[in-house]
Amino acid sequence: MNDSEIKDLVEYIARALAEYPDQVQVREINGHQLSVIELRAAKEDLGKIIGREGRNAHAIRTIMNAAATKLRKRAVLEILE
């Protein structure tokens, strides 16, 4: 597993949740020990991706952190409007 696979994983999950998957954009900003994953989606899809009380976003972060831990890195997910 390499760094871009974390980005691909987040993108795959977000596209599966989104009504307009073609508008989902994921960007990765790499540091030495920290990766910041920026997720953008259509305004209509933000609610679905975040989920009720942030449950979907929390689940995505949990999966992403498990993958990042395997790479001995830290990853942070930022959902942007």
Side-chain angles (χ1 to χ4, degrees):
M1 181 177 266
N2 60 29
D3 291 355
S4 68
E5 288 184 10
I6 295 173
K7 174 185 162 292
D8 295 340
L9 176 66
V10 171
E11 189 170 357
Y12 177 80
I13 295 169
R15 285 181 189 262
L17 292 170
E19 196 170 315
Y20 304 102
D22 53 315
Q23 292 186 32
V24 172
Q25 296 174 333
V26 180
R27 204 176 78 143
E28 183 171 22
I29 302 164
N30 274 319
H32 182 63
Q33 286 292 317
L34 178 71
S35 291
V36 177
I37 310 291
E38 291 183 345
L39 172 63
R40 290 183 191 273
K43 221 173 186 71
E44 300 84 15
D45 288 331
L46 283 176
K48 290 179 183 176
I49 291 171
I50 294 170
R52 278 214 179 116
E53 296 179 11
R55 286 191 182 123
N56 288 350
H58 183 72
I60 294 169
R61 285 186 175 104
T62 302
I63 293 167
M64 183 188 72
N65 283 326
T69 301
K70 201 169 186 180
L71 296 172
R72 296 175 185 222
K73 286 195 94 168
R74 256 190 42 136
V76 176
L77 177 65
E78 291 191 6
I79 300 173
L80 307 172
E81 288 188 37

